[in-house]
Amino acid sequence: MLDIHQLAVIAGVARAGSYTAAAELLGYTQPAVSYRMRSLERTIGVQLAVRSGRGVRLTPAGHRLAQHAEVVLSALGAVEDEFRTYAAHARGMVRVSAIHSACASLLPGAVARLRSARPDVQVVLERATSPDAYRSLRDGTTDVALVSVRDGARPDDPGTDAGPDPGAAEAEVVDLPLISDPRCVLLPVDHPLADLRTIPLSALADESWVLDEDRDEFTAACARAGFEPRTVAITNDPATAHDLVAHGVGAAVAEGLALPPRPDPRVVARPLRGWPPRRVHALLRAGTTRAPAVEALLTALREAVDDHRAANGDPAPLRLARAAEAAG
């Protein structure tokens, strides 16, 4: 009967090309690799490898068995990952990877609510870009990914480099829409346009701008509006950009969720008219949606989203569907 150690050895030999190299790869001795290969050949009843120079060459049967071994070892690794996740949840731990604006606006309130309702649950927070958060979710190193999605993009594939095999994600990832997040312009409170409820980008052609390094999307929008933005300062820190606007250095752009909860009274934020809002989604692996610690976090996150929308004058908060309903 085949055992896992035999399968690991033939997979290692296929990768390394010799018994010595396979022993180094697997942490075995060379005689142990040789012994397990002979034992495997006796079990299978066919020759699996032949000497070739200083290494070995797998026979067609050996190559085929190595392929099967890789599939079995990968499946066992997935089982180990899944049950490590279950063990973490049993201990009351939830790992969250989230975009910066969600870390600054939604998660503090959600974690505070969670602490009141479930003080036994520990939350591990990681700030990440949308593609990195999605990749961590697919790799099993995070339980909940909070990502941003532009119109026309896939909620389960928020970046072109987010991960391989995006079609497979539809069956593996549960998508929970959270909130629509408008792009805003930050202006000094005494700016001539500060009293408008929304501002078209074309009206800002003469402004000086405080922008971040990742500004290609914004400069392309400016070009469509008929002007090239005059950049006077560059910073990737939203708080610094906000302070620069307060001191009259220039205008800036920010996502609504990234705005400070108590903005400087010298600054106003107005949605950019005609700019499609991004959407913020929570993504989870289907196997974790009913874990009690994850459900508790999602409940707290739903309430934090409602609080945010109510605080910003939205009379009809978008409720986050319960994870169990979304999964079913």
Side-chain angles (χ1 to χ4, degrees):
M1 182 176 179
L2 293 173
D3 66 49
I4 189 65
H5 301 291
Q6 291 172 331
L7 294 179
V9 163
I10 193 166
V13 170
R15 293 181 207 149
S18 73
Y19 289 173
T20 300
E24 293 177 358
L25 178 67
L26 299 170
Y28 293 166
T29 64
Q30 191 274 342
V33 169
S34 180
Y35 170 79
R36 291 191 184 279
M37 283 295 292
R38 290 195 304 272
S39 174
L40 184 56
E41 287 181 331
R42 288 194 298 270
T43 300
I44 293 297
V46 296
Q47 188 174 15
L48 299 174
V50 294
R51 292 287 180 182
S52 177
R54 295 186 178 181
V56 294
R57 175 175 52 82
L58 293 183
T59 65
H63 278 295
R64 185 60 180 149
L65 184 57
Q67 291 173 348
H68 283 300
E70 291 285 6
V71 172
V72 171
L73 294 169
S74 177
L76 287 174
V79 171
E80 291 177 350
D81 289 343
E82 180 178 345
F83 279 86
R84 274 196 294 267
T85 297
Y86 283 143
H89 293 160
R91 295 192 301 270
M93 179 186 293
V94 183
R95 301 162 299 176
V96 181
S97 295
I99 55 176
H100 170 82
S101 55
C103 287
S105 57
L106 299 178
L107 283 173
V111 174
R113 286 180 174 275
L114 182 63
R115 287 289 300 155
S116 296
R118 288 286 305 274
D120 59 308
V121 175
Q122 181 185 52
V123 182
V124 180
L125 301 177
E126 174 195 32
R127 191 173 77 178
T129 64
S130 289
D132 284 345
Y134 178 63
R135 187 180 296 110
S136 294
L137 182 75
R138 293 295 305 274
D139 290 346
T141 56
T142 198
D143 302 310
V144 180
L146 299 185
V147 303
S148 63
V149 184
R150 293 292 180 191
D151 283 352
R154 294 165 53 95
D156 60 355
D157 191 14
T160 56
D161 62 343
D165 196 13
E170 295 182 8
E172 300 172 1
V173 173
V174 175
D175 170 29
L176 305 176
L178 287 178
I179 192 170
S180 180
D181 188 23
R183 174 69 65 92
C184 296
V185 58
L186 307 183
L187 297 170
V189 70
D190 58 356
H191 192 281
L193 302 178
D195 291 335
L196 297 180
R197 294 191 62 182
T198 63
I199 299 175
L201 189 56
S202 59
L204 301 167
D206 296 329
E207 297 299 320
S208 298
W209 291 94
V210 177
L211 299 175
D212 61 23
E213 292 178 347
D214 185 18
R215 55 189 182 275
D216 292 346
E217 182 184 21
F218 179 74
T219 55
C222 292
R224 292 192 296 271
F227 70 95
E228 180 179 349
R230 183 171 63 254
T231 305
V232 295
I234 297 174
T235 176
N236 291 330
D237 179 31
T240 300
H242 186 274
D243 291 343
L244 290 171
V245 175
H247 283 82
V249 173
V253 288
E255 309 294 352
L257 286 176
L259 298 176
R262 289 176 291 278
D264 191 301
R266 295 171 294 175
V267 177
V268 296
R270 298 290 182 261
L272 282 169
R273 191 185 311 163
W275 191 289
R278 67 176 185 172
R279 294 168 287 128
V280 178
H281 290 238
L283 304 179
L284 304 89
R285 294 190 309 282
T288 67
T289 53
R290 290 183 174 86
V294 174
E295 282 195 316
L297 174 67
L298 292 176
T299 297
L301 185 59
R302 178 188 68 234
E303 293 168 352
V305 167
D306 288 352
D307 287 347
H308 179 87
R309 294 176 70 98
N312 286 274
D314 189 336
L318 174 62
R319 289 280 176 180
L320 173 64
R322 289 184 61 83
E325 295 171 350

